[in-house]
Amino acid sequence: MKNIVSTLIFSLLVFNQSLQAQLSDRKMDSFVRSLMKKMSLDEKIGQLNLITPGWGVPTGAVVSTDVESKIKSGKVGGMFGVIGAANTRRIQEMVMTNTRLKIPLFFGSDVIHGHKTNFPIPLGLACSWDMALIEKTARVAATEASADGLNWTFSPMVDICRDPRWGRIAEGSGEDPFLGSAIAAAMVRGYQGDMSQPDQIMSCVKHFALYGASEGGRDYNTTDMSRQRMYNEYLPPYKAAVDAGCASVMTSFNEIDGIPATGNRWLVTDLLRKQWGFAGLVVTDYTSVNEMTDHGMGDLQTVSALALHAGVDMDMVGEGFLTTLKKSLDEGRISMKEIDQACRRILEAKYKLGLFQNPYRYCDESRAARDILSAPHRAAARTAAASSFVLLKNQNNTLPLSKNANIALVGPLADNKRNMLGTWAVSGVPEEAVTVMEGIKNVAKDANIRYAKGANISDDPTFVKRANAFAEEITVEKDRTPQQLLEEAVRVAQASDVVVAVLGESANITGEAASRSNITLPGNQTALINALVATGKPVILVLFTGRPLALEQEAGSVGALLNVWFGGTEAGNAVADVLFGDVNPSGKLAVTFPRNVGQIPLYYNHKNTGRPEGPDQIGNRFRSNYLDVPNTPLFPFGFGLSYTSFEYGPLQLNKTSLTGSEILTASIQLSNTGNVDGSEVVQLYIRDLVGSSTRPVQALKSFQKVFLKHGERRTVTFNISTEDLKYYQYDLTHDWEAGDFDIMIGSDATTVKTARIKWSR
Ligand code: BGC
């Protein structure tokens, strides 16, 4: 009876919610309809225009004059690159006082991993495998961004990437579609909520689609893949963001099946809008309409018409829409219906943001002082940073260090504020960042620290010049040679008991337009590591990086290796928290580390081939392998150590033969057998042994991050249904196929307990 009543109440609530939603949709619809009736063609086209006046707009001349006149004459629908509530208010006022219909503007920005309080780069955050934490980082980011006048973030970036040469691998969640999808949804929830509050902003999933599969890892390059790979491996995170309610989507620079994404009607209309039911706003990437000319798709008028016809609504920066759509309409190359559709979607997004009710909703100048870089936000950033670190090696418990250790702190990133935030910290404040040196001093007041830079991040003048094009993140010592820097570091090491070497990449050699063909430690840093190791002192490598590096030799020689990505504003404190054991590391790799660049693409969920390299066949000829390197990675997907040890008991299944809708329960007893409390990410993988198409050797299907006190044990259970077995088959039917499956549970993709089951229809 109780159950019936609660089911009834629940159904009524759901019914009521959907009724409310329908009513508010109807209200929006009639509002937008009547507004559009008043709009001229020029005003409609103006809404499709997204512009930027450049970064860091000063409070004086808010925007350059022609931008100002465009705003005043209704030729702009939104802006990005204008930050600060006073600035956005002033521009919004300009719209309210000068334009006929007073349609408020969007104010967007790339709030990628925090606004002014920066969290770890997304690839690092992904390694936390902690969805609540990731959602919270997006929540904080939205709170700060909205306090700074913004109502739209160009995030989450969910491009699956299996090629660490691509600099933008730093901006995404790594190689796995399941983990990537969970993160995409968490970020959308964090940014947007239900968009009913002034600290909830519109999110924009990008870059739709497949941008992470650029050939050779070279940015903006061609992508080409089968539909099956697309649907099974690359599209799921975009879809997860859309399913989570993401209100906007950004098209990518690359082509798909020979047609650039921005002009690809199959992608934007057939797949996104029709198959996935996306009703929101589609914006291009930066000048990606215009770039279709270089892709070979025609002149600006042609490519602009192509983009609109594809289903794109808003043109970022290039003004192809603004300058050519009218002509195309006159010539019958596009229809009024297409312009109306795009305009309507933009107005609806503005309506949902509450901008028509109050154009200044996001322009509350009193909020910044309270909401930006606040103590709770910084505390959240510190926790998030420590959660993103991955302990890749810890021989003989080199870590944690004692708080009164005698430390040689070496390396170009050891005392370096500029590089803590990482790529895409558009509004980040480097001066607010905590360096590793500062963090160590904060956490271990009694430690004795001797510092030496040891190496420049790079000594190659051309590389440095290209990297530093926008900001000097690589500083090259003018007065000392690389050899002198190295010798000083060796002397410092010799006088200490342990070496903490803080090395890696600068932020500006990661991210957009920062592809590398060689993914080793840049500059003289490997020589530095070798010299430090040769002193015989234990060496801890604290690695800052935006991508997996090929580190086989360094990883072999150091005592401990802690990968810290770029941790954000609180990076240094978080590094110290982990180095001295206040925080036990629990990050697990969201991306495979190859042994060398020649193994790329190297990813865990690969196919088997007809000549797989079995464990007993290493080095055999006529198998799918290399003569000069094993197939195995340096560090596999899902891998990460802890200061404690976890033991996995036998894998237990409720049954080994199932039919149809039955549920398989797979459990394992997890014990914390070490001396400290810690968290472990327990991972569930499945292999479909026989399919109508070939299936990957394993695929992540679930995971749980479990905290256990030392000595504690817990049964970790996964419920598996046929939903987890489904995949896109040759004809793109999404279904499961009866047969045998291997169920694997373990601590990383290669360390699993396996049992076989049979599932029949
Ligand atoms: C990037 C996008 C970004 C846009 C606006 C482009 O170059 O590809 O990710 O959102 O610029 O800054």
Side-chain angles (χ1 to χ4, degrees), residues 121-124 126 157 159-175 211-212 214 217 219 423 505 509-512 514-515 519 545-549 565 590-594 600 602:
I121 55 166
L123 185 58
M157 187 282 209
D159 303 325
I160 293 293
C161 180
R162 296 158 166 183
D163 192 333
R165 288 173 297 184
W166 194 49
R168 301 197 83 167
I169 196 171
E171 291 175 51
S173 299
E175 74 189 36
Y211 183 28
S214 59
D219 211 353
T423 183
E505 300 188 293
I509 64 171
T510 77
E512 186 170 351
S515 295
I519 55 165
T545 179
R547 52 163 63 81
L549 294 183
W565 310 108
V591 65
T592 302
F593 271 51
I600 297 170
L602 186 68

Side-chain angles (χ1 to χ4, degrees), residues 55 80 109-110 112 154-155 157 168 171 206-207 211 220 250 253 284-286 316 424 426 512:
W55 306 115
F80 68 104
S109 183
D110 290 278
I112 306 296
F154 304 138
S155 173
M157 187 282 209
R168 301 197 83 167
E171 291 175 51
K206 69 188 189 186
H207 306 82
Y211 183 28
Y220 318 120
M250 186 187 293
F253 289 123
T284 72
D285 203 347
Y286 208 106
M316 188 192 284
W424 278 120
V426 169
E512 186 170 351

Side-chain angles (χ1 to χ4, degrees), residues 296-574:
M297 304 300 290
D299 63 11
L300 187 59
Q301 184 187 351
T302 307
V303 294
S304 302
L306 196 66
L308 185 79
H309 183 63
V312 164
D313 306 313
M314 202 166 200
D315 176 6
M316 188 192 284
V317 177
E319 300 200 341
F321 280 7
L322 188 74
T323 56
T324 70
L325 287 189
K326 209 170 168 181
K327 186 160 183 266
S328 292
L329 183 68
D330 290 344
E331 292 169 5
R333 294 167 81 171
I334 55 166
S335 68
M336 194 58 220
K337 192 173 157 216
E338 287 173 317
I339 294 180
D340 277 344
Q341 243 168 11
C343 179
R344 180 173 47 77
R345 291 181 192 124
I346 288 163
L347 298 177
E348 284 178 355
K350 292 181 176 181
Y351 183 95
K352 286 183 190 149
L353 281 168
L355 294 176
F356 288 110
Q357 277 174 317
N358 176 9
Y360 306 107
R361 194 166 188 235
Y362 294 89
C363 306
D364 179 348
E365 288 156 63
S366 69
R367 280 188 53 200
R370 188 180 68 233
D371 285 345
I372 293 181
L373 282 162
S374 66
H377 290 179
R378 293 195 74 129
R382 186 166 176 167
T383 306
S387 306
S388 75
F389 300 164
V390 188
L391 183 63
L392 293 172
K393 182 178 182 186
N394 195 18
Q395 206 172 35
N396 307 324
N397 297 325
T398 311
L399 285 174
L401 294 171
S402 125
K403 285 192 178 169
N404 51 21
N406 189 9
I407 301 169
L409 180 63
V410 171
L413 289 147
D415 193 22
N416 185 327
K417 281 191 187 287
R418 269 232 75 90
N419 280 293
M420 296 298 97
L421 306 183
T423 183
W424 278 120
V426 169
S427 298
V429 191
E431 300 73 37
E432 290 286 343
V434 180
T435 70
V436 175
M437 166 97 89
E438 289 166 342
I440 292 178
K441 287 182 178 162
N442 291 339
V443 169
K445 298 203 165 44
D446 296 330
N448 181 19
I449 303 166
R450 289 184 185 80
Y451 168 76
K453 183 172 175 183
N456 300 310
I457 291 175
S458 169
D459 302 295
D460 172 348
T462 314
F463 182 81
V464 171
K465 191 165 165 225
R466 295 189 70 186
N468 282 349
F470 295 110
E472 197 190 344
E473 288 176 5
I474 304 180
T475 43
V476 179
E477 292 278 316
K478 296 204 172 52
D479 303 332
R480 288 184 294 172
T481 64
Q483 186 57 26
Q484 285 169 325
L485 289 174
L486 182 143
E487 282 164 9
E488 182 197 32
V490 166
R491 281 196 298 278
V492 162
Q494 278 159 345
S496 310
D497 296 331
V498 60
V499 182
V500 174
V502 190
L503 308 181
E505 300 188 293
S506 55
N508 61 12
I509 64 171
T510 77
E512 186 170 351
S515 295
R516 297 178 63 202
S517 69
N518 180 352
I519 55 165
T520 52
L521 267 177
N524 207 32
Q525 299 186 77
T526 296
L528 174 63
I529 281 283
N530 292 342
L532 294 169
V533 168
T535 63
K537 306 284 175 171
V539 176
I540 295 151
L541 173 54
V542 175
L543 185 69
F544 278 79
T545 179
R547 52 163 63 81
L549 294 183
L551 287 167
E552 191 165 24
Q553 194 238 314
E554 295 86 340
S557 68
V558 296
L561 170 49
L562 181 67
N563 197 306
V564 299
W565 310 108
F566 289 93
T569 311
E570 290 286 329
N573 280 332

